[in-house]
Amino acid sequence: MENGSDKQLLAAHVRGEPHAFAELLRRHKDHLWQTALRTSYSREDAADSLQDALLSAHRTAHSFRAEAEVRSWLHAIVVNACLDRIRRNKTRRAISITPDVMPEAVDPRDEFAEFELSTVVEEALFTLPEDQRLALVMVEMEGRSVSETAVLLGVAEGTIKSRCSRARVRLQERLDFFRDPGNRI
């Protein structure tokens, strides 16, 4: 069944074929892990959420409606598991980016500085409200269309556009110090 479509594999899993679900996971594990990382506040939360999501998908595979793609169905389960964990934790990390903790200007080829920059941008991303961050990540980082994102999140397209716009404005405010050439990598 390794060469079957995702829908065929899911149907085989529902029928009780032992390796069908494992093959689905093999196909989509990288995408699902990246989704969990982008939606969660930490790697640990991402790992726990992904595990919760995969258990849920395994148990509820019989309820899959074949109108959607299996990958989109799995994606939505992972996003929902991450959001559930965030709600359960009820602790939001707020990282203040003040002039005394901003990265120093460094050699453009410095790999550590590139890592440091990505960390600052990621921290700024996680200061956004959950709904704005999720919409922005799906549209800008995952390359999904506004309409696809709206369907996956169960909101109107205009809501996605608005959330992305507000998120961009907030990120711009938080990362404005990069306009100074001395602060860029």
Side-chain angles (χ1 to χ4, degrees), residues 25-69:
L25 295 185
R26 188 193 63 73
R27 289 181 184 182
H28 300 291
K29 68 181 178 190
D30 293 337
H31 168 75
L32 298 175
W33 173 241
Q34 288 302 314
T35 299
L37 281 175
R38 289 182 179 137
T39 310
S40 300
Y41 287 109
S42 70
R43 291 181 73 80
E44 293 80 16
D45 283 345
D48 290 344
S49 297
L50 182 58
Q51 183 176 358
D52 292 346
L54 295 178
L55 285 171
S56 175
H58 189 272
R59 279 189 236 120
T60 62
H62 65 278
S63 67
F64 173 72
R65 292 186 307 259
E67 304 133 18
E69 291 298 320

Side-chain angles (χ1 to χ4, degrees), residues 67-88:
E67 304 133 18
E69 291 298 320
V70 172
R71 179 178 166 131
S72 296
W73 177 70
L74 290 169
H75 178 95
I77 292 172
V78 170
V79 168
N80 287 330
C82 292
L83 295 177
D84 288 345
R85 181 163 295 276
I86 289 168
R87 286 183 202 107
R88 274 195 312 268

